[in-house]
Amino acid sequence: MATIDVFNHDVPAESDFGYSQAIKSGDLIHVSGQLSLDEAGEFRHADDFAAQLTQTYGAMDKVLDHYGVTRNQVVSQTLYVVNLRRSAAAAAEGNRAYFGDHRPASTVLGVTELTFPGQVIEISFVVDTKLPA
């Protein structure tokens, strides 16, 4: 039987909406969309793509740290971007900076809106713990 490990940031939205930030089942970790939330679960940096991207990568790092894995073990990601044409270059630059030489499978979707007013980026991803760190 597979062991399941659930991780949460302990922000109100998790209980309000009924979800977990991440769930590890076997060797895979499936991570919900990460976004620009502060430690109290408050959305920050409305309409500021660069600041939201930085805060979102910080949230991703917290999930990776919890499971003792690295960015090199991310096998796929999905980016949801409001005004994709305007932010595509910044998203690509941030992605290259975050992952370095590692290249996970990636899907980038342009969307009309996200959960919070002024939210412009959200990233979900999958990690394979069997890959080298």
Side-chain angles (χ1 to χ4, degrees):
M1 179 179 267
T3 302
I4 295 176
D5 180 3
V6 174
F7 172 73
N8 287 302
H9 290 306
D10 296 322
V11 296
E14 293 162 347
S15 60
D16 293 347
F17 192 71
Y19 73 99
S20 293
Q21 295 296 329
I23 185 166
K24 180 179 180 208
S25 179
D27 298 326
L28 296 178
I29 304 166
H30 298 270
V31 184
S32 295
Q34 300 298 292
L35 56 133
S36 185
L37 296 179
D38 65 15
E39 295 296 324
E42 297 295 321
F43 176 71
R44 296 289 181 234
H45 311 298
D47 298 313
D48 184 336
F49 188 86
Q52 284 187 42
L53 191 59
T54 298
Q55 186 117 12
T56 299
Y57 284 139
M60 290 171 65
D61 285 340
K62 287 179 187 177
V63 175
L64 296 173
D65 290 346
H66 170 80
Y67 288 106
V69 296
T70 71
R71 298 170 186 180
N72 291 331
Q73 292 166 291
V74 174
V75 293
S76 68
Q77 64 175 341
T78 303
L79 288 77
Y80 304 89
V81 181
V82 175
N83 296 317
L84 179 58
R85 291 182 200 270
R86 182 176 63 201
S87 302
E93 181 180 330
N95 192 65
R96 286 190 306 271
Y98 184 75
F99 285 107
D101 292 332
H102 179 60
R103 298 288 185 258
S106 184
T107 300
V108 181
L109 301 170
V111 298
T112 304
E113 62 184 6
L114 292 163
T115 304
F116 295 98
Q119 182 184 350
V120 294
I121 181 79
E122 186 163 328
I123 305 173
S124 62
F125 60 103
V126 177
V127 177
D128 186 341
T129 62
K130 290 281 190 175
L131 291 177

